Amino acid sequence: MWVAGVRIVFAGTPEPAVPSLERLIRSPRHDVIAVITRPDAVAGRGRKVVRSPIGALADSHGIEVLTPERPTEPEFLARLTDLAPDCAPVVAYGALLPQKVLDIPVHGWVNLHFSLLPAWRGAAPVQAAIGAGDDMTGASAFRLEAGMDTGPVYGVVTERIRDTDTAGDLLGRLADSGAVLLESVLDGIEDGAITAVPQPAEGVSHAAKVTVEAARIRWDRTAAVVDRHVRSMTPAPGAWTTIGDLRVKVGPVTVTDERLEPGEIAVTKTGFLIGTSTVAVRLDRVQPQGKKQMAALDWARGARLDAEVRAQ
């Protein structure tokens, strides 16, 4: 059993990791002595260098921030060794940790992953679950090892995937419930009251990193698949299509009972429709390249689309 004030180094980068770090900072049982996050990056139209959400939160609490380009850097390894953490929780850090890093914390690294392992191991589990039409998903806290999300699991929480969920909606809920899970798992490890259980060999699936090309909409698929695909890519990187010679990002769509050929376009009084292999979908919001998001019907009317133009 550990004493109160366990020394923790937290690794994470994007906004979904923030609820977990916030809970651990507030916890009287944990002493967050440093965070590890991805280096500051250029972002936004102003191309300004910005801190990651985790780095910014740590700064606001006066916590040391480590930003190695690679976790194999000798300076980083030396500093992490000097910090001598008891345990290192990690949430969406964004880089693979080598064995020499995994060996430093006395009680290892506890990773919060946004799926019910062994389902959807990999970089984009939430997007994969929505895109596949899963009814349920969740978050798993597991002991990190050299394999890709293969370590034994300490505990899980489950979450129903709603019919209108975007990846952003679902990830927001999992970030909150997962933060509670992570804190309780760390408490259980500290108390010696919890052990990790190996993942089953059955039910393994993989969620590869989402590329811009993978976000392209396939209009030759069913309306249900198009709907799920668009929601799984919202808000990032954003599902997209070409309409004529125009590239357009597409927000969540509504499945209709109208019939159009795959990729066929119809601009009516009530909506901007595009056909699939089953029924047409109605677009709500679009974002033409280089412009702000706008109402799809307003854009379609203003674009004066030729009757022969198709979405591809």
Side-chain angles (χ1 to χ4, degrees):
M1 184 182 297
W2 301 351
V3 297
V6 173
R7 294 169 59 82
I8 281 177
V9 171
F10 182 94
T13 297
E15 194 66 37
V18 167
S20 290
L21 180 56
E22 286 179 333
R23 287 192 72 91
L24 295 177
I25 289 173
R26 292 196 304 266
S27 171
R29 300 190 60 176
H30 307 289
D31 181 14
V32 182
I33 56 175
V35 305
I36 307 165
T37 192
R38 300 298 293 153
D40 299 353
V42 174
R45 292 192 174 185
R47 309 305 292 166
K48 294 182 179 179
V49 177
V50 296
R51 196 72 132 168
S52 74
I54 285 298
L57 177 59
D59 288 340
S60 70
H61 287 273
I63 298 171
E64 180 179 354
V65 178
L66 308 177
T67 58
E69 288 284 348
R70 296 179 181 83
T72 53
E73 293 174 2
E75 296 83 359
F76 167 70
L77 291 169
R79 182 56 187 149
L80 187 59
T81 300
D82 289 343
L83 287 167
D86 294 309
C87 191
V90 54
V91 184
Y93 169 50
L96 293 176
L97 299 175
Q99 191 62 48
K100 61 179 67 176
V101 173
L102 297 179
D103 291 340
I104 291 174
V106 176
H107 295 278
W109 297 72
V110 179
N111 191 10
L112 179 66
H113 182 76
F114 297 117
S115 81
L116 296 176
L117 292 171
W120 303 126
R121 295 171 177 169
V126 171
Q127 293 91 333
I130 292 175
D134 293 353
D135 295 321
M136 295 292 296
T137 188
S140 305
F142 71 98
R143 178 155 182 149
L144 204 60
E145 59 182 30
M148 175 64 74
D149 302 328
T150 57
V153 175
Y154 288 105
V156 302
V157 290
T158 59
E159 179 73 34
R160 187 178 72 83
I161 300 178
R162 301 169 188 172
D163 292 341
T164 58
D165 270 340
T166 65
D169 296 333
L170 181 55
L171 188 54
R173 297 201 306 274
L174 289 173
D176 289 337
S177 61
V180 178
L181 169 66
L182 182 61
E183 183 182 21
S184 67
V185 164
L186 291 176
D187 290 347
I189 295 172
E190 294 162 19
D191 294 337
I194 189 172
T195 55
V197 177
Q199 295 182 34
E202 301 79 23
V204 175
S205 52
H206 298 276
K209 183 178 180 180
V210 175
T211 64
V212 173
E213 185 57 36
R216 187 171 191 162
I217 301 169
R218 289 275 305 276
W219 298 108
D220 59 344
R221 294 178 174 170
T222 68
V225 170
V226 169
D227 167 46
R228 295 199 306 263
H229 175 76
V230 173
R231 288 189 288 111
S232 74
M233 296 295 120
T234 303
W240 62 277
T241 189
T242 56
I243 299 176
D245 58 356
L246 303 173
R247 179 166 163 163
V248 181
K249 282 189 177 182
V250 176
V253 301
T254 301
V255 177
T256 74
D257 57 4
E258 301 287 336
R259 293 279 180 174
L260 295 171
E261 291 297 314
E264 184 182 355
I265 289 170
V267 181
T268 71
K269 291 182 179 180
T270 58
F272 177 29
L273 308 180
I274 299 181
T276 73
S277 66
T278 52
V279 294
V281 297
R282 184 174 67 248
L283 280 60
D284 179 27
R285 308 284 293 178
V286 298
Q287 185 178 2
Q289 194 165 20
K291 297 184 179 180
K292 293 182 178 180
Q293 192 180 79
M294 63 185 73
L297 184 55
D298 290 344
W299 175 79
R301 286 171 173 166
R304 300 180 181 277
L305 301 173
D306 186 275
E308 301 302 316
V309 168
R310 286 179 173 255
Q312 296 182 343

